[in-house]
Amino acid sequence: MTQAGSVYPPLEDRSVKETICLFDVDETLTPARRAASPQMLQLLSALRYRCAIGYVGGSDLIKQQEQLGTPAINVTSLFDFCFAENGLTAFRLGQPLASASFIGWLGEDKYKQLVNFCLRYISEIDCPVKRGTFVEFRCGSTLTQYLRNGMINISPIGRNATNQERLEFNRFDEEHKIREKFVAALKEKFPDFGLTFSIGGQISFDVFPTGWDKTYCLQHLEHEKEISGVDYKTIHFFGDKTHKGGNDYEIYEDSRTIGHAVTGPEETMKAVREMFAM
């Protein structure tokens, strides 16, 4: 997939007018927490000549760089729109847009209450293994400036788990509903915090202010009319966690999008090829 965004037609000159294809990352463009295939990247590059393309994921930009970019190619050059943390960290044609902060919205005192409860709860969970990074929230400058800052991610097993351990926990979780019960406990404990809990991927769930789900990114697309004159009347969204409680549910069901439920990257490629006769 080519790096230079300038080789593609301007957004207003794409052949399929006023249309964008927006993709979830894990189990839509890539296997969970793994890299996209060359075939996927080639297809996205070809699609970009026809219409705008973008991704929206719950993870921070660093993880999306690992999955979709390469050491030599910045992920923000491979898509017209890059929405990390549901669009709380956003890029348009490689340039950053306005971002938002979870702690700034919630406040330090409430944030500490939330984290302390999560750590106590995790300490009492009996699951096959436990690794490190149970609560992920990082924000800083320079190399870390685009790490997760609009939400927190909670993992009962820990985000440092290996791919095999992730698979094993996912099977364990399907049987014992570890994440589902954890979310229920948080909703009961903090009913007045104005938070949404969204289960995604294999080992974790996101916590963010209500309204900061993946539909948050759509406001950036709505603003495009003011920048280039393009009014995205057709927004195709592809995602795998489209069931209620999944982190793709809200944007999949949103009236502004046309939702496409997929079960993995191969199905995504098949759907795109059929839709655009590629």
Side-chain angles (χ1 to χ4, degrees):
M1 195 170 184
T2 184
Q3 178 178 8
S6 60
V7 304
Y8 297 99
L11 295 175
E12 60 270 26
D13 292 338
R14 305 289 166 93
S15 59
V16 183
K17 300 297 184 184
E18 300 179 327
T19 297
I20 182 170
C21 287
L22 195 58
F23 302 90
D24 169 50
V25 181
D26 280 343
E27 297 299 348
T28 300
L29 292 180
T30 78
R33 289 295 297 123
R34 298 173 67 183
S37 69
Q39 293 81 7
M40 175 64 80
L41 296 178
Q42 289 165 8
L43 179 64
L44 292 172
S45 180
L47 178 63
R48 194 175 178 187
Y49 284 97
R50 302 192 183 194
C51 68
I53 65 170
Y55 72 79
V56 54
S59 294
D60 58 59
L61 188 68
I62 300 300
K63 293 183 179 64
Q64 291 157 2
Q65 172 66 33
E66 294 170 353
Q67 292 178 260
L68 299 170
T70 72
I73 302 177
N74 194 315
V75 65
T76 62
S77 73
L78 301 180
F79 295 81
D80 299 302
F81 296 91
C82 299
F83 299 129
E85 303 174 66
N86 295 350
L88 300 170
T89 298
F91 287 77
R92 174 190 179 273
L93 300 177
Q95 298 302 310
L97 301 174
S99 62
S101 167
F102 180 91
I103 287 184
W105 178 89
L106 185 64
E108 189 66 46
D109 287 342
K110 288 184 176 179
Y111 174 70
K112 287 191 295 185
Q113 292 177 48
L114 178 66
V115 171
N116 288 341
F117 178 85
C118 288
L119 292 175
R120 285 194 297 269
Y121 189 97
I122 290 170
S123 72
E124 297 174 359
I125 294 175
D126 184 16
C127 55
V129 299
K130 288 185 180 178
R131 297 299 179 249
T133 314
F134 300 102
V135 178
E136 181 180 73
F137 181 97
R138 294 175 291 175
C139 181
S141 58
T142 62
L143 291 177
T144 63
Q145 65 179 320
Y146 297 122
L147 289 168
R148 199 183 289 268
N149 60 45
M151 64 180 71
I152 61 174
N153 181 265
I154 310 296
S155 175
I157 187 178
R159 295 193 62 85
N160 293 351
T162 65
N163 285 331
Q164 183 59 40
E165 289 166 344
R166 287 166 178 262
L167 291 171
E168 292 171 357
F169 175 81
N170 193 46
R171 288 192 290 268
F172 184 82
D173 185 48
E174 287 176 353
E175 179 181 356
H176 298 281
K177 309 297 182 186
I178 299 298
R179 290 181 291 175
E180 187 177 314
K181 293 174 183 176
F182 199 160
V183 166
L186 284 164
K187 288 180 177 179
E188 181 179 358
K189 179 67 176 179
F190 304 105
D192 57 346
F193 273 27
L195 298 174
T196 292
F197 306 89
S198 185
I199 296 172
Q202 298 171 310
I203 63 168
S204 64
F205 59 90
D206 294 325
V207 184
F208 48 84
T210 298
W212 287 19
D213 52 60
K214 288 185 178 178
T215 61
Y216 187 94
C217 76
L218 298 178
Q219 64 183 283
H220 295 298
L221 301 182
E222 291 171 344
H223 291 161
E224 186 59 32
K225 188 175 182 179
E226 304 168 10
I227 301 172
S228 67
V230 177
D231 183 6
Y232 287 116
K233 296 177 180 177
T234 303
I235 303 173
H236 292 287
F237 172 75
F238 300 80
D240 69 306
K241 294 289 190 300
T242 58
H243 56 277
K244 191 167 186 178
N247 63 357
D248 296 324
Y249 174 77
E250 290 85 0
I251 192 169
Y252 176 81
E253 292 287 339
D254 194 281
S255 62
R256 293 168 289 180
T257 69
I258 301 170
H260 306 272
V262 298
T263 58
E266 292 297 326
E267 190 169 342
T268 301
M269 290 191 287
K270 182 175 183 290
V272 168
R273 291 185 180 118
E274 290 177 353
M275 188 179 304
F276 293 93
M278 299 176 71

